[in-house]
Amino acid sequence: MDASLFTSMLFATVVAGTPLIIVALGLLVNEKAGVLNLGAEGMMAMGAVAAFAVTHHSGSPWLGVMAGMAAAMAVSLIFGFLTLTLQANQVAAGLALSIFGVGLSAFIGKPFESIALPAVPPIRIPFIADLPLIGEALYNQQALVYLSWALFWVVVWFLYRSRAGLVLRAVGESPASAHAIGHPVILIRYLAVLFGGAMAGMGGAFLSVFYTPMWVEGMVAGRGWIALALVVFATWRPLRVMIGAYLFGGVMITQLFIQGSGMQLDFPAQFLSSLPYWATIIVLVVISRNVNTIRLNSPMSLGKPYRAEG
């Protein structure tokens, strides 16, 4: 592999992994609070279409990102109301949210299907971007790539270095105990759900405004489900989430490079397109075999409804 090909693949891997990092970190905070939201795919789709529409009409990609976050937060609020206030089953509500978001985004996005946005220029960091091999790949990127790195450190600090993060983790482990010492469990879980929605919306906005600046029905293409799997793959640890996101991004990009290279394959090209999803299934199967790993690392009250008494 020559240097230019390595740089191109590394650049593309970082870009492909960015929406996974953003969404998975939001879901991580969500699940650390004890809430299992399977609606990431629908929230990403709503974020993508809202961001595209606002960017198209306003000309500002950052207004688009904020609109995408707001749209996904609004959808996540419906999930929060159903599961936290009405005590609906979190798995069923999350699946319904995913289907609803994907369908509604397809309907809203119909008028925008033939429109392309102008490409958002990357931000080049002087001097560091001149480093051989990795400089152009890592330091001549879109602003949201850098923001995803900052988000990683903020989430790590919040969960493991702040009192608020300690309270949130306590709510996910034992909501009854957290309530007994005066913490508003339902409010904390609502805030976690809204944060997860905002990050899903940002991930969707990255896809439709920065990654491929156009709206296409189904453009999220299972990334919401992959982000959900990433949290389990990472055993609810932020660093592993980041590493896993880039691994999955690398799988996505590798199959695209192979298909684009013109190599003669002894199997259908569609098999390569399915590689990221095969990787997701295999990882989940391997991790699920070790029940102790799941028990030791997952929040004790994950997916369990809670109603405050007294």
Side-chain angles (χ1 to χ4, degrees), residues 21 25 28 152-153 155-156 160 233-234 236-246:
I21 292 172
L25 287 173
L28 174 66
F152 164 75
W153 288 111
V155 168
V156 169
Y160 302 109
F233 164 76
W236 292 270
R237 299 179 186 177
L239 179 59
R240 293 183 182 181
V241 165
M242 195 168 194
I243 294 171
Y246 286 135

Coordinates of all heavy atoms in Angstrom, one line a residue, residues 21 25 28 152-153 155-156 160 233-234 236-246:
I21 N -19.3 7.8 16.4 CA -18.8 8.2 17.7 C -19.8 9.1 18.3 O -20.2 9.0 19.5 CB -17.5 9.0 17.5 CG1 -16.4 8.0 17.1 CG2 -17.1 9.7 18.8 CD1 -15.1 8.7 16.7
L25 N -21.8 7.9 21.7 CA -21.5 8.6 23.0 C -22.8 9.1 23.6 O -23.0 9.0 24.8 CB -20.6 9.7 22.8 CG -19.1 9.3 22.5 CD1 -18.3 10.6 22.2 CD2 -18.5 8.6 23.8
L28 N -24.5 6.1 25.0 CA -23.8 5.7 26.2 C -24.3 6.4 27.4 O -24.6 5.8 28.5 CB -22.3 5.9 26.0 CG -21.4 5.6 27.2 CD1 -21.4 4.2 27.6 CD2 -20.0 6.1 27.0
F152 N -15.9 13.4 23.0 CA -15.4 12.2 23.7 C -14.8 12.6 25.1 O -15.1 12.0 26.1 CB -14.3 11.5 22.9 CG -13.4 10.6 23.6 CD1 -13.9 9.3 24.0 CD2 -12.1 10.9 24.0 CE1 -13.2 8.4 24.7 CE2 -11.4 10.0 24.7 CZ -11.9 8.8 25.1
W153 N -13.9 13.7 25.1 CA -13.3 14.1 26.4 C -14.3 14.7 27.3 O -14.2 14.4 28.6 CB -12.2 15.1 26.1 CG -11.0 14.4 25.5 CD1 -10.5 14.6 24.2 CD2 -10.1 13.4 26.1 NE1 -9.4 13.8 24.0 CE2 -9.1 13.1 25.1 CE3 -10.0 12.9 27.3 CZ2 -8.1 12.2 25.4 CZ3 -9.0 12.0 27.6 CH2 -8.1 11.6 26.6
V155 N -17.5 13.8 27.6 CA -18.3 12.7 28.1 C -17.4 11.9 29.2 O -17.9 11.6 30.3 CB -18.7 11.8 27.0 CG1 -19.3 10.4 27.6 CG2 -19.8 12.4 26.2
V156 N -16.1 11.7 28.9 CA -15.3 11.0 29.9 C -15.2 11.8 31.2 O -15.3 11.3 32.3 CB -13.9 10.8 29.3 CG1 -12.9 10.3 30.4 CG2 -13.9 9.8 28.2
Y160 N -16.9 10.4 34.7 CA -15.9 9.9 35.7 C -15.2 10.9 36.6 O -14.5 10.5 37.5 CB -14.9 9.0 35.0 CG -15.5 7.9 34.2 CD1 -15.6 7.9 32.8 CD2 -16.1 6.8 34.9 CE1 -16.2 6.8 32.1 CE2 -16.7 5.8 34.2 CZ -16.7 5.8 32.8 OH -17.3 4.8 32.1
F233 N -20.6 -3.4 22.4 CA -19.2 -3.8 22.0 C -18.2 -3.2 22.9 O -17.2 -3.8 23.3 CB -19.0 -3.4 20.6 CG -17.5 -3.5 20.1 CD1 -16.9 -4.7 19.9 CD2 -16.8 -2.3 20.0 CE1 -15.6 -4.7 19.5 CE2 -15.5 -2.3 19.6 CZ -14.9 -3.5 19.3
A234 N -18.4 -1.9 23.3 CA -17.4 -1.2 24.1 C -17.6 -1.4 25.6 O -16.9 -0.8 26.4 CB -17.6 0.3 23.8
W236 N -19.8 -0.4 27.5 CA -20.2 0.9 28.2 C -19.0 1.8 28.6 O -19.1 2.5 29.6 CB -21.2 0.6 29.3 CG -22.5 0.1 28.8 CD1 -23.6 0.8 28.5 CD2 -22.8 -1.3 28.6 NE1 -24.6 0.0 28.1 CE2 -24.1 -1.3 28.1 CE3 -22.1 -2.5 28.8 CZ2 -24.8 -2.5 27.8 CZ3 -22.8 -3.7 28.4 CH2 -24.1 -3.7 28.0
R237 N -17.9 1.7 27.8 CA -16.7 2.5 28.1 C -16.4 3.5 27.0 O -16.3 3.0 25.8 CB -15.5 1.6 28.4 CG -15.8 0.7 29.6 CD -14.6 -0.2 29.9 NE -14.8 -1.2 30.9 CZ -14.0 -2.1 31.3 NH1 -12.8 -2.2 30.7 NH2 -14.3 -2.9 32.2
P238 N -16.3 4.8 27.2 CA -16.1 5.7 26.2 C -15.0 5.5 25.2 O -15.1 5.6 24.0 CB -16.0 7.1 26.9 CG -16.6 6.9 28.2 CD -16.4 5.4 28.5
L239 N -13.8 5.1 25.8 CA -12.6 4.9 24.9 C -12.9 3.8 23.9 O -12.5 3.9 22.7 CB -11.4 4.6 25.7 CG -10.1 4.4 24.9 CD1 -9.7 5.6 24.1 CD2 -8.9 4.0 25.9
R240 N -13.5 2.7 24.4 CA -13.8 1.6 23.5 C -14.8 2.0 22.5 O -14.8 1.4 21.4 CB -14.2 0.4 24.3 CG -13.1 -0.2 25.2 CD -13.6 -1.5 25.9 NE -12.6 -2.0 26.8 CZ -12.7 -3.1 27.6 NH1 -13.9 -3.7 27.5 NH2 -11.8 -3.5 28.3
V241 N -15.7 2.9 22.9 CA -16.7 3.4 21.9 C -16.0 4.0 20.7 O -16.3 3.8 19.5 CB -17.7 4.3 22.5 CG1 -18.5 5.1 21.5 CG2 -18.7 3.6 23.4
M242 N -15.0 4.9 21.0 CA -14.3 5.6 20.0 C -13.5 4.7 19.1 O -13.5 4.8 17.9 CB -13.4 6.6 20.7 CG -12.8 7.7 19.7 SD -12.0 9.0 20.6 CE -11.9 10.3 19.3
I243 N -12.8 3.7 19.7 CA -12.0 2.8 19.0 C -12.9 1.9 18.1 O -12.6 1.7 16.9 CB -11.2 1.9 19.9 CG1 -10.1 2.7 20.7 CG2 -10.5 0.7 19.2 CD1 -9.4 2.0 21.8
G244 N -14.0 1.4 18.7 CA -14.9 0.6 17.9 C -15.6 1.4 16.7 O -15.8 0.8 15.7
A245 N -15.8 2.7 16.9 CA -16.4 3.5 15.8 C -15.5 3.5 14.7 O -15.9 3.4 13.5 CB -16.8 4.9 16.3
Y246 N -14.2 3.7 14.9 CA -13.2 3.8 13.8 C -13.0 2.4 13.2 O -12.7 2.3 12.0 CB -11.9 4.4 14.3 CG -12.0 5.9 14.5 CD1 -11.5 6.5 15.7 CD2 -12.6 6.7 13.6 CE1 -11.6 7.9 15.9 CE2 -12.8 8.1 13.8 CZ -12.2 8.6 15.0 OH -12.3 10.0 15.1

